[in-house]
Protein backbone atom coordinates (compact mmCIF):
# COMPACT_ATOMS: atom_id res chain seq x y z
CA UNK A 1 0.00 0.00 0.00
CA UNK A 2 1.38 3.40 -0.97
CA UNK A 3 1.25 6.09 1.71
CA UNK A 4 -1.00 9.08 1.05
CA UNK A 5 0.58 12.26 -0.30
CA UNK A 6 4.20 11.11 -0.14
CA UNK A 7 6.98 12.32 -2.44
CA UNK A 8 5.72 10.00 -5.18
CA UNK A 9 2.08 11.01 -4.84
CA UNK A 10 0.19 10.20 -8.12
CA UNK A 11 3.40 8.76 -9.64
CA UNK A 12 2.79 5.06 -10.25
CA UNK A 13 6.01 4.05 -12.01
CA UNK A 14 9.76 4.62 -11.84
CA UNK A 15 9.65 6.44 -15.18
CA UNK A 16 6.92 8.77 -13.94
CA UNK A 17 8.92 9.47 -10.79
CA UNK A 18 12.05 10.27 -12.82
CA UNK A 19 10.13 12.60 -15.11
CA UNK A 20 8.56 14.50 -12.25
CA UNK A 21 11.48 14.79 -9.83
CA UNK A 22 14.22 15.38 -12.42
CA UNK A 23 12.36 17.50 -14.97
CA UNK A 24 8.95 18.85 -13.97
CA UNK A 25 9.45 19.81 -10.34
CA UNK A 26 12.25 22.30 -10.94
CA UNK A 27 10.46 24.37 -13.58
CA UNK A 28 9.18 27.85 -12.67
CA UNK A 29 5.47 28.67 -12.82
CA UNK A 30 3.86 30.97 -15.36
CA UNK A 31 0.31 31.41 -14.09
CA UNK A 32 -1.16 32.99 -17.18
CA UNK A 33 -4.77 33.07 -15.97
CA UNK A 34 -5.75 33.76 -12.38
CA UNK A 35 -8.08 35.93 -10.32
CA UNK A 36 -5.62 37.17 -7.71
CA UNK A 37 -6.23 40.63 -6.30
CA UNK A 38 -3.50 42.87 -7.79
CA UNK A 39 -3.61 45.09 -4.70
CA UNK A 40 -2.62 42.14 -2.53
CA UNK A 41 0.41 41.50 -4.73
CA UNK A 42 1.38 45.17 -4.93
CA UNK A 43 1.07 45.68 -1.16
CA UNK A 44 2.55 42.26 -0.30
CA UNK A 45 -0.55 41.45 1.73
CA UNK A 46 -0.17 39.73 5.10
CA UNK A 47 -2.90 37.22 5.91
CA UNK A 48 -4.52 37.36 9.32
CA UNK A 49 -5.35 33.64 9.30
CA UNK A 50 -5.45 30.45 7.24
CA UNK A 51 -9.20 31.06 6.91
CA UNK A 52 -8.62 34.30 5.03
CA UNK A 53 -6.18 32.80 2.55
CA UNK A 54 -8.05 29.49 2.22
CA UNK A 55 -11.76 30.26 2.49
CA UNK A 56 -11.93 33.98 1.70
CA UNK A 57 -13.15 33.57 -1.88
CA UNK A 58 -13.03 29.85 -2.61
CA UNK A 59 -16.36 28.84 -4.10
CA UNK A 60 -15.07 25.26 -4.55
CA UNK A 61 -14.89 24.87 -0.77
CA UNK A 62 -18.18 26.70 -0.22
CA UNK A 63 -19.98 24.29 -2.57
CA UNK A 64 -18.60 21.31 -0.70
CA UNK A 65 -19.53 22.80 2.68
CA UNK A 66 -23.09 23.51 1.54
CA UNK A 67 -23.37 19.97 0.19
CA UNK A 68 -22.26 18.76 3.62
CA UNK A 69 -25.11 20.67 5.23
CA UNK A 70 -23.05 23.58 6.57
CA UNK A 71 -25.00 26.80 7.12
CA UNK A 72 -24.21 29.70 4.77
CA UNK A 73 -22.91 31.88 7.60
CA UNK A 74 -19.90 29.55 7.85
CA UNK A 75 -19.18 29.96 4.13
CA UNK A 76 -19.74 33.61 3.24
CA UNK A 77 -21.02 35.10 6.50
CA UNK A 78 -19.52 38.37 7.71
CA UNK A 79 -20.14 37.85 11.43
CA UNK A 80 -18.71 34.35 11.79
CA UNK A 81 -15.21 33.98 13.25
CA UNK A 82 -12.28 32.62 11.27
CA UNK A 83 -12.04 29.65 13.61
CA UNK A 84 -15.72 28.78 13.23
CA UNK A 85 -15.41 28.79 9.43
CA UNK A 86 -12.20 26.76 9.52
CA UNK A 87 -13.77 24.25 11.90
CA UNK A 88 -16.68 23.71 9.51
CA UNK A 89 -14.27 23.24 6.61
CA UNK A 90 -12.28 20.67 8.64
CA UNK A 91 -15.52 18.79 9.32
CA UNK A 92 -16.31 18.81 5.60
CA UNK A 93 -12.86 17.63 4.48
CA UNK A 94 -13.38 14.17 5.93
CA UNK A 95 -16.35 13.77 3.57
CA UNK A 96 -14.30 14.84 0.53
CA UNK A 97 -12.65 11.52 -0.32
CA UNK A 98 -12.30 11.29 -4.14
CA UNK A 99 -13.11 14.97 -4.51
CA UNK A 100 -10.09 17.00 -5.76
CA UNK A 101 -10.50 19.29 -2.76
CA UNK A 102 -9.07 16.54 -0.59
CA UNK A 103 -5.90 16.38 -2.67
CA UNK A 104 -5.58 20.16 -3.03
CA UNK A 105 -6.12 20.74 0.69
CA UNK A 106 -3.37 18.36 1.74
CA UNK A 107 -0.96 19.40 -1.01
CA UNK A 108 -1.34 23.00 0.16
CA UNK A 109 -0.83 22.11 3.81
CA UNK A 110 2.27 20.08 2.95
CA UNK A 111 3.93 22.37 0.42
CA UNK A 112 3.19 25.70 2.10
CA UNK A 113 3.28 24.84 5.80
CA UNK A 114 5.11 21.52 6.00
CA UNK A 115 2.06 19.89 7.59
CA UNK A 116 1.62 16.24 6.59
CA UNK A 117 -1.13 15.17 8.97
CA UNK A 118 -4.64 14.88 7.56
CA UNK A 119 -7.10 17.67 8.32
CA UNK A 120 -10.08 16.48 10.37
CA UNK A 121 -12.13 17.66 13.34
CA UNK A 122 -9.50 16.03 15.59
CA UNK A 123 -6.57 17.91 14.05
CA UNK A 124 -8.36 21.13 13.10
CA UNK A 125 -7.36 23.29 16.08
CA UNK A 126 -3.72 22.17 15.96
CA UNK A 127 -3.46 22.83 12.20
CA UNK A 128 -5.32 26.15 12.48
CA UNK A 129 -2.94 27.41 15.15
CA UNK A 130 0.20 26.14 13.38
CA UNK A 131 -0.77 27.74 10.07
CA UNK A 132 -1.64 31.02 11.75
CA UNK A 133 1.72 31.14 13.56
CA UNK A 134 3.55 30.59 10.30
CA UNK A 135 1.46 33.21 8.49
CA UNK A 136 2.93 35.78 10.89
CA UNK A 137 6.37 35.18 9.38
CA UNK A 138 7.53 37.51 6.55
CA UNK A 139 7.99 34.69 4.05
CA UNK A 140 4.26 33.86 4.24
CA UNK A 141 3.13 37.16 2.75
CA UNK A 142 1.42 37.22 -0.65
CA UNK A 143 4.68 37.70 -2.54
CA UNK A 144 6.52 35.41 -0.16
CA UNK A 145 4.17 32.56 -1.03
CA UNK A 146 4.56 33.26 -4.74
CA UNK A 147 8.33 33.13 -4.46
CA UNK A 148 8.11 29.99 -2.32
CA UNK A 149 6.29 28.28 -5.19
CA UNK A 150 8.78 29.56 -7.80
CA UNK A 151 6.17 31.73 -9.53
CA UNK A 152 7.83 33.71 -12.29
CA UNK A 153 4.83 35.50 -13.75
CA UNK A 154 1.10 35.90 -13.07
CA UNK A 155 -1.59 37.44 -15.26
CA UNK A 156 -4.53 38.87 -13.35
CA UNK A 157 -8.03 39.36 -14.77
CA UNK A 158 -8.84 43.02 -15.39
CA UNK A 159 -11.71 45.06 -16.78
CA UNK A 160 -10.99 47.65 -19.51
CA UNK A 161 -12.02 50.45 -17.13
CA UNK A 162 -9.45 49.40 -14.49
CA UNK A 163 -6.74 52.01 -14.00
CA UNK A 164 -4.12 49.27 -13.40
CA UNK A 165 -2.69 51.40 -10.60
CA UNK A 166 -1.46 48.37 -8.66
CA UNK A 167 0.24 46.86 -11.71
CA UNK A 168 1.97 50.14 -12.48
CA UNK A 169 3.18 50.74 -8.92
CA UNK A 170 4.26 47.15 -8.48
CA UNK A 171 6.30 47.22 -11.69
CA UNK A 172 8.05 50.38 -10.47
CA UNK A 173 8.99 49.11 -7.04
CA UNK A 174 9.20 45.32 -7.16
CA UNK A 175 12.49 43.62 -6.32
CA UNK A 176 14.40 41.75 -8.99
CA UNK A 177 13.40 38.39 -7.51
CA UNK A 178 9.70 39.28 -7.20
CA UNK A 179 7.35 37.66 -9.73
CA UNK A 180 6.23 39.61 -12.74
CA UNK A 181 2.55 40.67 -12.54
CA UNK A 182 0.81 41.56 -15.80
CA UNK A 183 -2.79 42.55 -16.52
CA UNK A 184 -5.10 40.54 -18.78
CA UNK A 185 -7.93 42.17 -20.73
CA UNK A 186 -11.42 40.86 -19.74
CA UNK A 187 -14.10 42.97 -21.51
CA UNK A 188 -17.12 40.83 -20.56
CA UNK A 189 -19.14 43.77 -19.23
CA UNK A 190 -18.91 45.49 -22.60
CA UNK A 191 -19.98 42.26 -24.32
CA UNK A 192 -22.92 41.36 -22.07
CA UNK A 193 -25.36 43.81 -23.60
CA UNK A 194 -28.36 41.96 -22.15
CA UNK A 195 -27.21 42.36 -18.55
CA UNK A 196 -28.62 44.91 -16.16
CA UNK A 197 -26.18 47.80 -15.79
CA UNK A 198 -24.84 47.73 -19.37
CA UNK A 199 -25.67 51.42 -19.97
CA UNK A 200 -24.05 52.38 -16.67
CA UNK A 201 -20.92 50.47 -17.68
CA UNK A 202 -20.78 52.32 -21.01
CA UNK A 203 -20.89 55.61 -19.07
CA UNK A 204 -18.00 54.44 -16.92
CA UNK A 205 -16.00 53.44 -19.99
CA UNK A 206 -16.72 56.85 -21.50
CA UNK A 207 -15.42 58.59 -18.38
CA UNK A 208 -12.26 56.48 -18.10
CA UNK A 209 -11.40 56.78 -21.80
CA UNK A 210 -12.25 60.48 -21.99
CA UNK A 211 -14.39 59.81 -25.05
CA UNK A 212 -18.09 60.44 -25.50
CA UNK A 213 -19.88 57.20 -26.36
CA UNK A 214 -23.13 57.56 -28.25
CA UNK A 215 -22.69 54.82 -30.85
CA UNK A 216 -21.16 51.37 -30.98
CA UNK A 217 -18.38 52.79 -33.15
CA UNK A 218 -17.61 55.22 -30.32
CA UNK A 219 -17.38 52.36 -27.85
CA UNK A 220 -14.97 50.52 -30.15
CA UNK A 221 -12.76 53.62 -30.26
CA UNK A 222 -12.87 53.90 -26.47
CA UNK A 223 -12.00 50.22 -26.06
CA UNK A 224 -9.14 50.57 -28.53
CA UNK A 225 -7.75 53.42 -26.43
CA UNK A 226 -7.97 51.26 -23.30
CA UNK A 227 -6.51 48.27 -25.20
CA UNK A 228 -3.51 50.41 -26.08
CA UNK A 229 -3.20 51.49 -22.44
CA UNK A 230 -3.23 47.86 -21.28
CA UNK A 231 -0.59 46.99 -23.87
CA UNK A 232 1.62 49.78 -22.53
CA UNK A 233 1.44 48.14 -19.09
CA UNK A 234 2.64 44.80 -20.44
CA UNK A 235 -0.69 43.13 -21.24
CA UNK A 236 -0.26 40.42 -23.85
CA UNK A 237 -3.48 38.44 -23.64
CA UNK A 238 -7.24 38.81 -23.44
CA UNK A 239 -9.91 36.60 -21.95
CA UNK A 240 -13.63 36.21 -22.60
CA UNK A 241 -16.21 34.36 -20.52
CA UNK A 242 -18.90 32.99 -22.85
CA UNK A 243 -21.83 30.64 -22.67
CA UNK A 244 -21.19 29.67 -26.29
CA UNK A 245 -19.81 30.97 -29.59
CA UNK A 246 -21.86 33.17 -31.91
CA UNK A 247 -22.09 33.43 -35.70
CA UNK A 248 -25.32 35.36 -36.35
CA UNK A 249 -24.85 37.58 -39.44
CA UNK A 250 -25.09 41.33 -38.83
CA UNK A 251 -24.62 44.66 -40.54
CA UNK A 252 -23.04 47.77 -39.05
CA UNK A 253 -26.40 49.52 -39.06
CA UNK A 254 -28.03 46.63 -37.19
CA UNK A 255 -25.36 46.74 -34.50
CA UNK A 256 -25.79 50.48 -34.08
CA UNK A 257 -29.54 50.00 -33.67
CA UNK A 258 -29.04 47.23 -31.11
CA UNK A 259 -26.51 49.31 -29.19
CA UNK A 260 -28.84 52.33 -29.17
CA UNK A 261 -31.73 50.22 -27.87
CA UNK A 262 -29.57 48.85 -25.07
CA UNK A 263 -28.48 52.34 -23.97
CA UNK A 264 -32.16 53.34 -23.79
CA UNK A 265 -32.95 50.28 -21.70
CA UNK A 266 -35.13 48.62 -24.33
CA UNK A 267 -35.61 44.85 -24.46
CA UNK A 268 -33.43 43.04 -27.00
CA UNK A 269 -34.38 39.87 -28.84
CA UNK A 270 -32.31 36.71 -28.54
CA UNK A 271 -31.13 37.16 -32.13
CA UNK A 272 -30.09 40.77 -31.49
CA UNK A 273 -28.07 39.72 -28.45
CA UNK A 274 -26.29 37.04 -30.46
CA UNK A 275 -25.63 39.44 -33.35
CA UNK A 276 -24.10 41.96 -30.98
CA UNK A 277 -21.91 39.38 -29.24
CA UNK A 278 -20.67 38.01 -32.55
CA UNK A 279 -19.77 41.51 -33.68
CA UNK A 280 -18.20 42.45 -30.35
CA UNK A 281 -16.01 39.35 -30.13
CA UNK A 282 -14.94 39.80 -33.74
CA UNK A 283 -13.86 43.38 -33.06
CA UNK A 284 -11.98 42.28 -29.93
CA UNK A 285 -10.25 39.50 -31.87
CA UNK A 286 -9.16 42.01 -34.50
CA UNK A 287 -7.68 44.26 -31.81
CA UNK A 288 -5.80 41.32 -30.32
CA UNK A 289 -4.47 40.25 -33.70
CA UNK A 290 -3.26 43.76 -34.49
CA UNK A 291 -1.52 43.94 -31.10
CA UNK A 292 -0.05 40.41 -31.40
CA UNK A 293 -1.83 39.31 -28.22
CA UNK A 294 -3.16 35.87 -27.32
CA UNK A 295 -6.94 35.55 -26.95
CA UNK A 296 -8.62 33.15 -24.53
CA UNK A 297 -12.22 31.93 -24.61
CA UNK A 298 -13.69 30.28 -21.52
CA UNK A 299 -17.05 28.89 -22.58
CA UNK A 300 -19.73 26.52 -21.43
CA UNK A 301 -20.78 27.74 -17.97
CA UNK A 302 -24.35 28.36 -16.85
CA UNK A 303 -23.84 31.03 -14.22
CA UNK A 304 -25.86 32.22 -11.24
CA UNK A 305 -28.36 29.36 -11.29
CA UNK A 306 -29.68 30.07 -7.80
CA UNK A 307 -31.53 33.38 -8.01
CA UNK A 308 -32.22 33.53 -4.29
CA UNK A 309 -28.53 33.19 -3.41
CA UNK A 310 -27.44 35.50 -6.24
CA UNK A 311 -29.68 38.21 -4.78
CA UNK A 312 -28.26 37.56 -1.32
CA UNK A 313 -24.50 37.29 -1.95
CA UNK A 314 -23.90 38.01 -5.65
CA UNK A 315 -21.97 36.32 -8.46
CA UNK A 316 -18.95 33.99 -8.28
CA UNK A 317 -20.05 32.43 -5.00
CA UNK A 318 -20.50 28.82 -6.08
CA UNK A 319 -23.82 28.61 -7.90
CA UNK A 320 -22.59 27.92 -11.44
CA UNK A 321 -22.61 24.67 -13.40
CA UNK A 322 -21.61 22.94 -16.64
CA UNK A 323 -23.79 23.84 -19.61
CA UNK A 324 -24.69 22.00 -22.79
CA UNK A 325 -24.41 24.10 -25.92
CA UNK A 326 -24.35 23.02 -29.55
CA UNK A 327 -21.67 25.49 -30.55
CA UNK A 328 -19.37 23.62 -32.96
CA UNK A 329 -20.63 25.26 -36.17
CA UNK A 330 -20.66 28.73 -34.62
CA UNK A 331 -17.11 28.23 -33.34
CA UNK A 332 -15.99 27.11 -36.79
CA UNK A 333 -17.55 30.10 -38.53
CA UNK A 334 -16.20 32.54 -35.97
CA UNK A 335 -12.64 31.27 -36.30
CA UNK A 336 -12.91 30.92 -40.07
CA UNK A 337 -14.10 34.50 -40.46
CA UNK A 338 -11.01 35.72 -38.62
CA UNK A 339 -8.70 33.35 -40.47
CA UNK A 340 -9.93 34.45 -43.90
CA UNK A 341 -8.98 38.05 -43.06
CA UNK A 342 -5.65 37.17 -41.40
CA UNK A 343 -7.02 38.33 -38.05
CA UNK A 344 -6.79 35.04 -36.14
CA UNK A 345 -4.18 35.49 -33.43
CA UNK A 346 -2.91 32.87 -30.98
CA UNK A 347 -6.02 31.41 -29.38
CA UNK A 348 -6.82 29.21 -26.37
CA UNK A 349 -10.28 27.67 -26.04
CA UNK A 350 -11.36 26.21 -22.70
CA UNK A 351 -14.55 24.20 -22.37
CA UNK A 352 -16.40 23.60 -19.14
CA UNK A 353 -18.07 20.55 -20.64
CA UNK A 354 -15.52 17.73 -21.10
CA UNK A 355 -17.78 16.19 -23.76
CA UNK A 356 -16.50 18.93 -26.07
CA UNK A 357 -12.78 18.11 -25.70
CA UNK A 358 -12.58 16.05 -28.90
CA UNK A 359 -14.71 18.50 -30.87
CA UNK A 360 -12.45 21.41 -29.96
CA UNK A 361 -9.25 19.41 -30.50
CA UNK A 362 -10.34 18.62 -34.07
CA UNK A 363 -11.62 22.16 -34.64
CA UNK A 364 -8.29 23.68 -33.71
CA UNK A 365 -6.48 21.53 -36.24
CA UNK A 366 -8.36 23.39 -38.97
CA UNK A 367 -6.68 26.70 -38.13
CA UNK A 368 -3.12 25.83 -37.11
CA UNK A 369 -0.06 27.17 -38.89
CA UNK A 370 2.54 29.89 -38.67
CA UNK A 371 3.87 29.02 -35.22
CA UNK A 372 3.91 25.92 -32.98
CA UNK A 373 0.62 25.26 -31.21
CA UNK A 374 -0.94 28.52 -32.35
CA UNK A 375 -4.47 27.37 -31.51
CA UNK A 376 -4.71 25.59 -28.14
CA UNK A 377 -7.17 23.36 -26.31
CA UNK A 378 -7.08 24.95 -22.87
CA UNK A 379 -6.23 23.03 -19.74
CA UNK A 380 -8.98 21.32 -17.74
CA UNK A 381 -10.91 24.30 -16.42
CA UNK A 382 -12.96 24.93 -13.26
CA UNK A 383 -14.91 21.73 -12.64
CA UNK A 384 -12.35 19.90 -14.80
CA UNK A 385 -9.08 20.96 -13.14
CA UNK A 386 -8.93 17.64 -11.31
CA UNK A 387 -7.28 14.34 -12.14
CA UNK A 388 -10.00 12.86 -14.34
CA UNK A 389 -10.66 16.14 -16.14
CA UNK A 390 -6.99 16.82 -16.81
CA UNK A 391 -6.41 13.31 -18.10
CA UNK A 392 -9.41 13.57 -20.43
CA UNK A 393 -8.18 16.91 -21.76
CA UNK A 394 -4.62 15.66 -22.30
CA UNK A 395 -5.83 12.44 -23.91
CA UNK A 396 -7.98 14.35 -26.40
CA UNK A 397 -5.11 16.71 -27.17
CA UNK A 398 -2.66 13.82 -27.52
CA UNK A 399 -4.81 11.81 -29.90
CA UNK A 400 -6.06 14.71 -32.05
CA UNK A 401 -3.29 17.28 -31.73
CA UNK A 402 0.21 17.67 -30.28
CA UNK A 403 0.47 17.34 -26.52
CA UNK A 404 4.13 18.37 -26.83
CA UNK A 405 3.05 21.90 -27.85
CA UNK A 406 0.57 22.35 -24.97
CA UNK A 407 1.03 25.52 -22.87
CA UNK A 408 0.11 23.70 -19.69
CA UNK A 409 -1.59 24.55 -16.42
CA UNK A 410 -2.99 27.66 -14.76
CA UNK A 411 -4.58 28.20 -11.34
CA UNK A 412 -7.74 30.16 -12.35
CA UNK A 413 -7.82 30.96 -8.63
CA UNK A 414 -8.20 33.81 -6.17
CA UNK A 415 -5.98 32.11 -3.59
CA UNK A 416 -2.24 32.50 -3.04
CA UNK A 417 -2.19 28.87 -1.88
CA UNK A 418 -3.42 27.44 -5.18
CA UNK A 419 -0.02 26.96 -6.82
CA UNK A 420 0.13 23.25 -5.90
CA UNK A 421 -2.42 22.85 -8.70
CA UNK A 422 0.57 23.24 -11.02
CA UNK A 423 2.38 20.49 -9.12
CA UNK A 424 -0.74 18.32 -9.26
CA UNK A 425 -0.97 18.84 -13.02
CA UNK A 426 2.72 18.08 -13.52
CA UNK A 427 2.48 14.88 -11.49
CA UNK A 428 -0.51 13.75 -13.54
CA UNK A 429 1.28 14.60 -16.80
CA UNK A 430 4.39 12.68 -15.76
CA UNK A 431 2.32 9.72 -14.63
CA UNK A 432 0.48 9.66 -17.96
CA UNK A 433 3.75 9.58 -19.91
CA UNK A 434 5.51 7.27 -17.46
CA UNK A 435 2.73 4.69 -17.65
CA UNK A 436 2.90 4.73 -21.45
CA UNK A 437 6.64 4.09 -21.30
CA UNK A 438 6.24 1.23 -18.83
CA UNK A 439 3.58 -0.34 -21.07
CA UNK A 440 5.82 -0.08 -24.13
CA UNK A 441 3.58 2.50 -25.78
CA UNK A 442 6.38 5.10 -25.82
CA UNK A 443 10.15 4.65 -26.03
CA UNK A 444 12.14 5.24 -22.87
CA UNK A 445 13.98 8.21 -24.37
CA UNK A 446 14.43 10.47 -21.35
CA UNK A 447 15.99 13.23 -23.42
CA UNK A 448 12.83 13.64 -25.52
CA UNK A 449 10.42 12.89 -22.66
CA UNK A 450 12.22 15.17 -20.25
CA UNK A 451 12.23 18.03 -22.72
CA UNK A 452 8.54 17.43 -23.40
CA UNK A 453 7.72 17.63 -19.68
CA UNK A 454 9.78 20.79 -19.21
CA UNK A 455 8.16 22.38 -22.24
CA UNK A 456 4.60 21.66 -21.13
CA UNK A 457 5.38 22.72 -17.57
CA UNK A 458 7.00 26.05 -18.49
CA UNK A 459 8.92 26.55 -21.75
CA UNK A 460 5.94 26.45 -24.12
CA UNK A 461 4.07 29.11 -22.14
CA UNK A 462 7.15 31.32 -21.95
CA UNK A 463 7.55 31.23 -25.74
CA UNK A 464 3.85 31.38 -26.57
CA UNK A 465 2.72 34.43 -24.61
CA UNK A 466 5.67 36.67 -25.47
CA UNK A 467 5.84 38.21 -21.99
CA UNK A 468 9.60 38.69 -22.18
Amino acid sequence: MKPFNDDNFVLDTKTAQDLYHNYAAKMPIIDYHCHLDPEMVANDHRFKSITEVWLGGDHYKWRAMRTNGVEEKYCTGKDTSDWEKFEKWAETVTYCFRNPLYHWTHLELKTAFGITKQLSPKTAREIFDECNEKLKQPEFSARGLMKHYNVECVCTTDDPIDDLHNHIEYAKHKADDDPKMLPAWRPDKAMNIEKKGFAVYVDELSHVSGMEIRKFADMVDALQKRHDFFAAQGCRLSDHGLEEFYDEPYTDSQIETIFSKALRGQQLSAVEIRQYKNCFLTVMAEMDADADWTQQFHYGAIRDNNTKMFNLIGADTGFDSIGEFNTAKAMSRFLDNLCQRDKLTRTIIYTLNPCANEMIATMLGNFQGGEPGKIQLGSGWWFNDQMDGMIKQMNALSVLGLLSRFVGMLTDSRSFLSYPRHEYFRRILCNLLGNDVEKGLLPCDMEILGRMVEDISYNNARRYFKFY
Side-chain angles (χ1 to χ4, degrees), residues 429-464:
L429 167 67
C430 292
N431 197 54
L432 205 63
L433 295 173
N435 285 345
D436 279 356
V437 170
E438 300 278 345
K439 294 174 183 177
L441 298 176
L442 289 174
C444 189
D445 188 327
M446 297 305 286
E447 180 180 355
I448 294 176
L449 290 166
R451 183 176 68 243
M452 179 179 180
V453 165
E454 291 178 349
D455 284 349
I456 296 170
S457 299
Y458 168 77
N459 294 327
N460 287 345
R462 182 181 174 93
R463 289 188 289 259
Y464 186 81

Side-chain angles (χ1 to χ4, degrees), residues 350-351 378-382 384-386 389-390 393 406 409-410:
Y350 309 81
T351 176
S379 179
W381 165 50
W382 199 344
N384 300 310
D385 59 356
Q386 30 75 13
M390 285 190 248
Q393 185 269 350
F406 181 33
M409 189 55 176
L410 60 156

Side-chain angles (χ1 to χ4, degrees), residues 238-449:
S238 68
D239 182 39
H240 307 273
L242 318 173
E243 280 195 350
E244 53 185 313
F245 281 81
Y246 310 98
D247 65 344
E248 274 66 21
Y250 59 85
T251 64
D252 291 345
S253 62
Q254 285 175 320
I255 297 301
E256 291 294 358
T257 298
I258 294 167
F259 186 77
S260 179
K261 287 174 67 176
L263 291 188
R264 295 195 302 268
Q266 293 180 246
Q267 186 75 26
L268 300 177
S269 71
V271 171
E272 287 176 321
I273 293 168
R274 296 179 69 88
Q275 285 177 308
Y276 175 83
K277 290 187 175 183
N278 183 23
C279 175
F280 181 86
L281 290 170
T282 300
V283 170
M284 291 297 98
E286 291 168 349
M287 282 189 195
D288 290 348
D290 291 343
D292 195 26
W293 286 9
T294 299
Q295 60 185 354
Q296 300 174 93
F297 297 99
H298 287 84
Y299 92 92
I302 303 177
R303 299 178 184 270
D304 307 322
N305 293 270
N306 189 323
T307 303
K308 175 184 175 181
M309 295 306 296
F310 176 78
N311 291 336
L312 282 172
I313 57 178
D316 302 320
T317 51
F319 299 96
D320 310 308
S321 58
I322 293 172
E324 293 179 322
F325 301 98
N326 185 10
T327 197
K329 286 186 177 180
M331 182 190 299
S332 174
R333 291 177 182 133
F334 178 77
L335 296 174
D336 188 50
N337 173 42
L338 296 171
C339 185
Q340 286 187 66
R341 297 180 293 110
D342 294 324
K343 294 293 186 179
L344 182 57
T345 189
R346 295 179 302 282
T347 301
I348 307 176
I349 299 178
Y350 309 81
T351 176
L352 199 57
N353 193 330
C355 295
N357 282 335
E358 283 79 9
M359 180 275 287
I360 297 172
T362 57
M363 184 70 68
L364 303 185
N366 301 326
F367 301 102
Q368 300 288 10
E371 55 187 293
K374 178 180 177 181
I375 318 295
Q376 293 267 332
L377 171 60
S379 179
W381 165 50
W382 199 344
F383 296 116
N384 300 310
D385 59 356
Q386 30 75 13
M387 188 178 297
D388 183 61
M390 285 190 248
I391 290 172
K392 286 178 178 176
Q393 185 269 350
M394 284 190 276
N395 280 338
L397 180 55
S398 299
V399 172
L400 301 168
L402 294 179
L403 180 63
S404 297
R405 293 301 189 180
F406 181 33
V407 294
M409 189 55 176
L410 60 156
T411 62
D412 189 32
S413 174
R414 293 167 174 79
S415 172
F416 288 85
L417 285 181
S418 289
Y419 294 110
R421 294 185 192 179
H422 283 263
E423 175 181 332
Y424 196 45
F425 166 82
R426 292 175 185 184
R427 287 177 178 271
I428 292 166
L429 167 67
C430 292
N431 197 54
L432 205 63
L433 295 173
N435 285 345
D436 279 356
V437 170
E438 300 278 345
K439 294 174 183 177
L441 298 176
L442 289 174
C444 189
D445 188 327
M446 297 305 286
E447 180 180 355
I448 294 176
L449 290 166

Side-chain angles (χ1 to χ4, degrees), residues 185-204:
W185 173 264
R186 180 79 175 240
D188 290 0
K189 290 182 180 179
M191 176 188 68
N192 291 328
I193 195 169
E194 79 282 11
K195 294 287 183 72
K196 183 180 179 181
F198 177 78
V200 173
Y201 179 80
V202 173
D203 284 341
E204 293 173 340

